[in-house]
Amino acid sequence: KFVQLKPAGSSASFMGRCPFPDHEDSDPSFHVYDDSCYFKCYGCGKEGDMLDFYCLMEGKETGDAVAYFASLAGISHERPQTAAEKKRLAHRALLQDINAFYRETLFSSKGEDALKYLLSRGLSETIIRAFSLGFAPGFSGNEIVRIAKKHGVTEARAVELGILKVNGEKNPYDPFFKRIVFPLYNGHGSAPAGFGGRILDEGAAKYINSVNSEHFVKGDLLYGYILARQNIAATKTAVLMEGYMDVLAMHDKGFTNSAGVLGTAITGNQIRLLKKAHANRVVFLMDGDKAGLEAAKKGVGRAMAGGLMPYIAIMQPDEDPSSILQQPGGRDVIQQLLDTAEPGLEYVHRCLADNPIEFHAWIHAIAKETEDKLLRLIWLARIAKLMGMPGEYLVDALELCKEN
């Protein structure tokens, strides 16, 4: 299914070109050893058994791999579920049904205005369906209550999970009412972990998200990651931005390695998702306003600490990817921004050239957050070169700060 193998000499082994998307294997360096059911690529260094292989190729967990191979062999993979597993699966099924309700509503008469809005923003129906967008039709939470009860979830529990709220009269209502709904997936993507919502009318917060809970932590997710991870792996590059509409527009125009940070500075868990997709380079496509520039500085530092090579592409203060891509020639503008993205370290050094105290604090944060000692020394050497000083001086200075 994944790689063509041929016998390797007289031993019980086979070889072929490495199938992993982050390794361009010109000469066969991928070996499978029949007697031990073990693989190793002598080019990229990946190795393991068949479960490891499936997890690496498909971005799955070990349990998913076991179930997959069991189904191929016609073996029942039934085992008693723990209470935690039952709870997680029940919540997953609940959110799948809620998402289906929102999705069906968008393409009904009740969602007509919302669908017109999305199409007016230049999105195709294909991308709207691919991202499973929906619409929450009204204030009443009756339909959500019905779906929750179907899954054995009480109103009180639904409120705890953030899928319902209650008003002053203690009546339940849908927190996303009259909003376009964006399902938010974790790294597995089998069901939404939560939702984001965009208001159609004025007078309320433009965007809201599900409240953080045991099942949903906003900083653990990247919007669009499930659909982007294959092309992130193929290009070894992720393009990150802030908004839902920006991610949708980018995918619609062919920039399918794009994902959104859900309005926050990138987190360690989001970086781990990108590393899991075999990214080694990240381009922050940022608004040119003050908030965007601050987010860019934070993002560069955290990406460096997490082992990614960061780049910065800055738009004009009143622009975003969605608005640019609606203009004639907009795709070429975005491509030019990505092609000419500035290395993140140089960008931060340039921005803070007249503020040595802030630049020192930024360097100190990177040194503190970078757990890999060799990577820390590499970054400090590059920073020292930019500052025109020997690398050991900077290392010694940071060590002195740490002691004090």
Side-chain angles (χ1 to χ4, degrees), residues 78-158:
E78 298 295 330
R79 63 174 177 82
Q81 292 178 338
T82 66
E85 286 174 328
K86 289 179 180 179
K87 192 175 181 180
R88 178 175 56 83
L89 291 172
H91 183 72
R92 179 185 296 179
L94 169 62
L95 264 62
Q96 279 179 323
D97 278 2
I98 293 174
N99 188 43
F101 163 65
Y102 288 146
R103 188 173 62 245
E104 290 164 8
T105 303
L106 178 63
F107 290 95
S108 72
S109 58
K110 293 180 179 179
E112 185 176 353
D113 289 343
L115 184 58
K116 283 181 179 178
Y117 171 79
L118 290 168
L119 295 172
S120 74
R121 292 289 300 267
L123 299 177
S124 68
E125 185 173 325
T126 299
I127 211 71
I128 292 169
R129 289 186 181 275
F131 277 77
S132 199
L133 301 191
F135 181 66
F139 182 80
S140 169
N142 290 341
E143 185 61 23
I144 305 301
V145 170
R146 184 192 67 78
I147 296 171
K149 286 183 176 179
K150 170 187 167 185
H151 291 273
V153 176
T154 65
E155 285 186 26
R157 179 61 178 155

Side-chain angles (χ1 to χ4, degrees), residues 201-314:
D201 305 320
E202 299 297 327
K206 184 182 286 188
Y207 287 96
I208 63 171
N209 295 303
S210 293
V211 296
N212 281 354
S213 71
E214 62 200 272
H215 299 286
F216 175 78
V217 179
K218 187 171 71 168
D220 289 352
L221 313 178
L222 289 166
Y223 183 61
Y225 172 80
I226 297 301
L227 293 176
R229 62 185 175 189
Q230 184 174 354
N231 282 296
I232 290 174
T235 60
K236 302 179 186 178
T237 300
V239 181
L240 296 186
M241 58 216 66
E242 292 186 69
Y244 298 119
M245 297 299 294
D246 296 329
V247 174
L248 292 166
M250 291 286 282
H251 275 258
D252 210 14
K253 299 302 182 185
F255 298 99
T256 51
N257 58 338
S258 302
V261 293
L262 305 181
T264 62
I266 192 169
T267 67
N269 284 338
Q270 289 171 333
I271 289 171
R272 279 186 278 277
L273 274 182
L274 296 179
K275 298 282 283 185
K276 191 173 182 178
H278 308 297
N280 56 26
R281 185 175 182 268
V282 58
V283 181
F284 293 97
L285 186 56
M286 306 301 296
D287 299 347
D289 58 17
K290 184 176 180 181
L293 299 177
E294 284 300 314
K297 285 188 288 188
K298 289 181 181 178
V300 167
R302 289 177 181 172
M304 289 171 62
L308 293 172
M309 183 71 75
Y311 289 79
I312 298 291
I314 298 292

